[in-house]
Amino acid sequence: MSRHVYIGADIGGTTIKLAFINEDGQIMKKWEVPTNTEEKGASIPSDIADAVEQVRGELGIGKSQIMGIGAGAPGFVETSTGYIHEAVNIGWKDFDFGNILSGLTGFDVWVDNDANLAALGENWLGAGRGCSELIAVTLGTGVGGGVIANGSVLNGANGTAAELGHVTVIPEGGAPCNCGKTGCLETEASATGIVRKAKVAVEDYDDSLLHSLVQSGDLTAKDVFQAAAEGDEAATDVLHQVTDVLGMAIANMAIVINPEKIVIGGGVAKAGDQLLDPLKTAYRKYALSRTAEASSFEFAELGNDAGVIGGAYLVKKNK
């Protein structure tokens, strides 16, 4: 049995991923519990505390072995206290999550944005292993970002550093974003954004393979990549726009920290080189040449475990 044990928690809108992880980063036990968003997510801390205590007992781990809990939340986090200013998908607003969870469990608790924890996980044991400068981008329903600079996560003055999905890329006439702005990267390069753009694009291409899927309402980002692979002009045009604007946004962020690695994850990344090859081309087009020379692109390696592994590392580096 490992002498030191770290607990990672990755809080999503549907489930909370939990894991007991040893000091070498090996997952001893991982499981999920439902995210109860009733009454503005008030029961989530107690749900986590109950689940942790039950599994701790099952594994025979003493309380003195637990070094703490590292939790990721999808919102604006005050990392010094674990206070959540807002996490829309969960219902939290001005919620003292870190202190509540610590009081319920008796363990020290550190909290960060979920995308930052995914970046930390990849930086510890994944595709960005050991990099002092790293940009991690998660392309899913939205666009998440995390940045490691000088070996530490960038949080910023009030916890909104590296919100890459909310970089403005369409200054005028862009689609509305959930954040309240328009023209954010998330509206262009997420799976949702790709579908939205494809629905618009097929109006100009009468012979597009995507017409029937658009009409049925079953169109997915995966369908757009598949159609492009089959030579569909509408889909090809959409993916060119997406990779171009994403490459520009990453290049602009790269000029700030001069990254060694740029790690791409999330469901959209399953497109593989069909995404990565044009993305690298766009990045090199927009990046300062010396910045581009120093950086390489990698696909994320940890998958759904990145958040809990990052949570464990958050404890490890702070303890």
Side-chain angles (χ1 to χ4, degrees), residues 7-9 48 52 66-71 101 105 107-111 311 315:
I7 299 172
I48 293 173
V52 164
I66 305 293
M67 296 294 99
I69 300 173
L101 184 59
T105 61
F107 302 133
D108 292 333
V109 174
W110 288 268
V111 188
V315 178

Side-chain angles (χ1 to χ4, degrees), residues 7 17 20 44 55 63 71 100 117 119 142 146 155 157 176 189 191 196 202 213 226 231 233 249 267-268 305:
I7 299 172
K17 298 178 181 67
F20 281 68
I44 290 173
V55 172
K63 283 197 169 186
I100 293 171
L117 285 201
N155 294 111
R196 179 189 63 79
V202 296
L213 290 171
Q226 181 61 43
E233 286 188 70
V268 176
D305 294 339

Side-chain angles (χ1 to χ4, degrees), residues 60-149:
I61 297 172
K63 283 197 169 186
S64 63
Q65 292 177 261
I66 305 293
M67 296 294 99
I69 300 173
F76 301 128
V77 181
E78 189 174 294
T79 55
S80 61
T81 63
Y83 190 87
I84 310 295
H85 290 280
E86 188 170 21
V88 175
N89 292 341
I90 294 173
W92 288 343
K93 189 173 180 63
D94 299 326
F95 191 68
D96 198 11
F97 171 66
N99 285 327
I100 293 171
L101 184 59
S102 181
L104 289 169
T105 61
F107 302 133
D108 292 333
V109 174
W110 288 268
V111 188
D112 208 330
N113 175 271
D114 55 351
N116 286 343
L117 285 201
L120 263 182
E122 291 290 341
N123 188 223
W124 184 24
L125 297 174
R129 191 180 291 108
C131 294
S132 293
E133 277 71 37
L134 167 76
I135 295 175
V137 183
T138 303
L139 304 172
T141 305
V143 174
V147 170
I148 309 290

Side-chain angles (χ1 to χ4, degrees), residues 203-275:
E203 296 176 4
D204 296 325
Y205 293 89
D206 293 336
D207 58 349
S208 174
L209 299 171
L210 301 176
H211 270 295
S212 61
L213 290 171
V214 169
Q215 291 169 358
S216 68
D218 293 330
L219 182 65
T220 67
K222 183 179 179 180
D223 294 325
V224 179
F225 279 99
Q226 181 61 43
E230 296 176 22
D232 185 87
E233 286 188 70
T236 299
D237 183 46
V238 167
L239 295 185
H240 172 74
Q241 293 176 39
V242 168
T243 53
D244 191 71
V245 76
L246 180 59
M248 179 181 68
I250 295 172
N252 288 338
M253 183 167 281
I255 203 67
V256 179
I257 71 155
N258 194 191
E260 178 183 349
K261 290 278 183 72
I262 299 161
V263 176
I264 307 295
V268 176
K270 293 177 181 177
D273 290 341
Q274 192 183 3
L275 168 72

Side-chain angles (χ1 to χ4, degrees), residues 10-31:
D10 185 3
I11 304 165
T14 304
T15 63
I16 302 166
K17 298 178 181 67
L18 295 162
F20 281 68
I21 297 172
N22 70 18
E23 50 203 349
D24 297 321
Q26 296 175 325
I27 295 177
M28 304 163 65
K29 168 81 173 179
K30 66 176 179 179
W31 75 106

